[in-house]
Amino acid sequence: MTTRLARRPLVTAIGGAVSLTLAGMALQAQAATEISLGHTLSSTSHYAVGAQAFKETLEELSDGAFTVTEHTSGSLGGEREMIEGLQIGTVDIVITSTGPLGNFVPETYVLDLPFLFEDYDQARCVLDGELGDELLTKMSDHDLVGLAWSENGFRHMTNSRREIASPADADGLRVRTMENEVHQEAFRQMGARPTPMAFPELFTALQQGTVDGQENPITVIVATNFWEVQDYLSLTGHVYSPAAVLGSPILLDGLSDEEREWFHEAARASAEATRQEVSRLEEEGVALLEENGMTVKTDIDIGPFQDAVEPAYEIFTAEHGSEMLERIQEKAASC
């Protein structure tokens, strides 16, 4: 009896210590907020490189208070659906092309005009400056938070029918375009039949012949193995395609200023990592596509393409005005 009673304080102390440890672990686990980050490309894509940089930066800055779960290959839906998810709070962070973004933030349509930028340096110069910041800020008027401008690259045409060296070669081709009226009008002017559809549906549509071709940067063509369903690539470079790192205001508005800055810094790290991967793939991707059997047309006179899509500018300015376009052109010329 005496021995049993003497052991009781020790047992109680051990039990209390275990309880405190378990309680501490539970509180620590409870304190970590899981952030969902979605995009439509594969886990080996340039978007995935950017997503990993976002994850590493945010988790380091927050000392584990935020953990990021990446959702790839459109597992959260197409880009339009994910942007809608940001607005209602079912998705926290999205890396998206500007394709569907103009449907939510019309001010960004200007970035999708064909032949707006001459090269990467010019495009990055504009988007990293005052005008890029202004467009990001405008997103708050549409229940979105613009965190950073990332990148896809210059878009090129692929198809399963024939080599494209001039706008006439695109005549009659059913070409999947982004869900973006500016893009669609540019292809109509070339005589193609633009067919907008969500990106996750595209590979199957090409495989089944629902569409003849598509247009995307080298980064996307490589990441999606389009050589399996497309025979011809023409390096038209007809549109520079930025990407945007967007956040949900439902999440971000509830954070402190310091926490919000962590998200902005993580987005900037994501954009930088993505751009580096885009630059790498631009150098190596064409050779990879040729190795996998694609016929690549490199010596293209873009003059006829520029002339063919000129009416798209007139249609754009008639609806959205020319102020932002002129400001971008002026800034680009000085970059």
Side-chain angles (χ1 to χ4, degrees):
M1 177 78 77
T2 304
T3 304
R4 248 190 253 115
L5 286 172
R7 286 179 180 172
R8 228 176 250 173
L10 178 61
V11 171
T12 302
I14 293 172
V18 170
S19 297
L20 285 171
T21 300
L22 291 173
M25 291 171 63
L27 284 171
Q28 187 176 23
Q30 187 178 20
T33 300
E34 183 177 337
I35 302 300
S36 60
L37 185 157
H39 60 81
T40 58
L41 297 181
S42 72
S43 59
T44 60
S45 66
H46 59 296
Y47 278 7
V49 170
Q52 184 62 28
F54 185 98
K55 172 183 172 69
E56 292 174 356
T57 304
L58 181 62
E59 291 180 357
E60 180 181 351
L61 288 172
S62 69
D63 197 22
F66 294 98
T67 60
V68 179
T69 300
E70 179 187 7
H71 301 269
T72 65
S73 303
S75 58
L76 297 180
E79 290 181 328
R80 177 190 287 267
E81 288 78 17
M82 286 192 290
I83 294 172
E84 290 171 345
L86 292 174
Q87 292 178 320
I88 62 176
T90 57
V91 183
D92 297 315
I93 302 293
V94 169
I95 302 174
T96 177
S97 72
T98 51
L101 186 57
N103 296 308
F104 298 87
V105 188
E107 293 88 347
T108 64
Y109 271 132
V110 66
L111 298 176
D112 294 314
L113 284 165
F115 302 106
L116 180 63
F117 299 115
E118 293 181 359
D119 53 36
Y120 282 102
D121 289 341
Q122 199 178 72
R124 293 170 182 176
C125 171
V126 170
L127 290 175
D128 290 345
E130 178 184 343
L131 295 177
D133 289 344
E134 186 176 326
L135 289 171
L136 288 174
T137 300
K138 287 183 181 296
M139 295 184 194
S140 62
D141 296 334
H142 305 277
D143 296 322
L144 296 168
V145 179
L147 294 172
W149 288 113
S150 189
E151 190 166 75
N152 280 298
F154 281 90
R155 302 178 80 88
H156 308 288
M157 298 175 65
T158 73
N159 79 99
S160 59
R161 298 289 185 183
R162 55 183 174 266
E163 189 174 81
I164 295 176
S166 70
D169 296 325
D171 188 50
L173 289 179
R174 295 166 298 174
V175 179
R176 178 268 178 182
T177 64
M178 295 190 291
E179 299 173 85
N180 178 312
E181 184 57 37
V182 173
H183 272 233
Q184 293 169 47
E185 185 57 37
F187 278 88
R188 288 191 196 99
Q189 295 299 327
M190 286 189 279
R193 295 161 59 189
T195 307
M197 67 175 63
F199 186 80
E201 303 170 12
L202 177 54
F203 192 93
T204 300
L206 292 167
Q207 195 172 44
Q208 296 177 345
T210 305
V211 291
D212 301 310
Q214 61 87 49
E215 47 88 46
N216 260 302
I218 297 297
T219 52
V220 178
I221 297 169
V222 168
T224 317
N225 294 1
F226 276 144
W227 61 75
E228 296 178 7
V229 288
Q230 297 280 267
D231 298 319
Y232 302 98
L233 165 64
S234 297
L235 300 181
T236 50
H238 52 276
V239 170
Y240 170 78
S241 181
V245 184
L246 306 178
S248 170
I250 294 173
L251 166 70
L252 292 165
D253 287 353
L255 303 180
S256 68
D257 290 344
E258 181 184 22
E259 289 169 333
R260 278 194 294 273
E261 181 53 34
W262 294 342
F263 279 79
H264 281 277
E265 191 167 336
R268 290 190 289 269
S270 173
E272 179 58 29
T274 300
R275 285 177 174 179
Q276 289 179 11
E277 182 68 358
V278 168
S279 295
R280 184 187 73 81
L281 288 171
E282 281 286 327
E283 293 181 4
E284 303 173 8
V286 171
L288 176 63
L289 295 170
E290 288 179 318
E291 288 171 12
N292 281 279
M294 291 193 82
T295 298
V296 181
K297 179 70 174 174
T298 58
D299 54 333
I300 294 176
D301 179 5
I302 65 168
F305 287 93
Q306 290 174 313
D307 293 340
V309 300
E310 186 62 32
Y313 276 75
E314 298 170 7
I315 292 169
F316 170 83
T317 55
E319 183 173 351
H320 300 285
S322 61
E323 180 187 0
M324 179 57 77
L325 171 60
E326 290 171 356
R327 291 172 65 197
I328 288 175
Q329 290 172 325
E330 181 180 355
K331 176 63 178 177
S334 68
C335 287

